[in-house]
Amino acid sequence: MNKEMSSLTLAVNEFNRLSEELGYDINPPYKGTLPTHDFGCGITQLAQFWLQYNELLRISNGLSADGHTCYGLSTASNEPGLIEFNDALNTPGFEFDGMHGRIVIGENNTDTLYYDTVTKRWESCDRIGTENVWESCDTLAELIETKIKLLKIK
């Protein structure tokens, strides 16, 4: 396990610890096979994206606490996930040019969380003014850590 994965495991476990402390349910690990998905708009299965996101899913199939969410993959017993949310962004009539080339991975009350396939960065931007990037991180772990800081303020 490389350093990135170690820090991701720590970040996911800390997010889940705080989530549980705040009274939220923790998602179990995703046990299924990762699907092959192009995320629309010609975005292909990205090794760097899946390397990190798969690790998140294997620890917890998504994260959710106090309005902060990282999407999991859909299972028979839960709501839409990572793929469904991104497919909706590419539905004719619902496309949003500001998110072109981005894989949306979550949200909170004011921001959209995504992986930028051009810059290879994990970012948080304003939900409406997507050109306003609040956080830009090298790893998924770093992005989750920014959300942990907000949960600790509660």
Side-chain angles (χ1 to χ4, degrees), residues 28-93:
Y30 183 75
K31 301 286 187 191
T33 303
L34 286 176
T36 300
H37 196 72
D38 73 357
F39 291 99
C41 298
I43 300 171
T44 58
Q45 189 88 345
L46 298 165
Q48 186 59 28
F49 171 80
W50 282 114
L51 177 70
Q52 294 182 55
Y53 217 79
N54 181 41
E55 183 70 14
L56 162 70
L57 295 170
R58 297 302 180 198
I59 302 164
S60 183
N61 188 20
L63 301 171
S64 184
D66 201 36
H68 299 276
T69 302
C70 282
Y71 306 133
L73 292 178
S74 292
T75 62
S77 63
N78 73 5
E79 57 192 49
L82 176 73
I83 292 170
E84 291 80 10
F85 280 106
N86 281 279
D87 283 350
L89 289 174
N90 294 310
T91 301

Side-chain angles (χ1 to χ4, degrees), residues 109-126:
N109 297 332
T110 59
D111 306 332
T112 298
L113 310 177
Y114 61 89
Y115 178 76
D116 189 317
T117 63
V118 176
T119 65
K120 311 287 190 251
R121 295 188 61 81
W122 301 86
E123 298 182 327
S124 171
C125 71
D126 187 86

